[in-house]
């Protein structure tokens, strides 16, 4: 099965989403949107990530770059999002208990 244009755009959107989320926790990364188009902003965001993580600066997402972005996302963003959900849940429970008195 051939790699379709739709699949390509979905993968671009996915990597853009990772880079977007990372830019909120790592201030030196470029903040980009996830539109599914690999243009100048995405290239610059990838190059900035590659430079920071001492990868070959190519501006394209090689398998090594993809793995590094996903790993970094999981380590720095996904864990924080999970903890934030736990904290919000605890606050909601505490609020509910406090209001029941």
């Amino acid at each position: 099965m051939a790699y379709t244009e739709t699949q390509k755009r979905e993968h671009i959107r996915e990597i853009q989403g990772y880079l977007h989320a990372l830019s909120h926790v790592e201030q030196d990364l470029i903040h980009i949107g996830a539109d599914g188009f690999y243009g100048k902003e995405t290239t610059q965001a990838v190059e900035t990530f590659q430079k920071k993580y001492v990868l070959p600066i190519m501006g394209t997402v090689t398998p090594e770059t993809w793995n590094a972005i996903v790993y970094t996302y999981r380590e720095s963003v996904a864990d924080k999002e999970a903890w934030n959900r736990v904290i919000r849940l605890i606050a909601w429970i505490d609020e509910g208990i406090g209001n029941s008195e």
Side-chain angles (χ1 to χ4, degrees), residues 19-67:
L19 290 167
H20 174 83
L22 284 169
S23 73
H24 287 284
V25 295
E26 299 189 22
Q27 299 303 315
D28 52 343
L29 294 179
I30 296 173
H31 187 76
I32 62 169
D35 62 6
F37 293 99
Y38 204 101
K40 182 179 175 182
E41 289 179 351
T42 302
T43 300
Q44 290 173 338
V46 170
E47 287 173 344
T48 301
F49 181 90
Q50 290 169 327
K51 181 177 181 181
K52 178 175 180 163
Y53 288 94
V54 194
L55 296 165
I57 302 170
M58 302 167 62
T60 58
V61 180
T62 63
E64 182 182 22
T65 299
W66 178 278
N67 291 336

Side-chain angles (χ1 to χ4, degrees), residues 8 11 30 35 49 63 74-75 77 93-94:
K8 179 180 175 182
H11 286 130
I30 296 173
D35 62 6
F49 181 90
R74 288 180 180 161
E75 290 298 309
V77 176
I93 291 170
D94 287 345

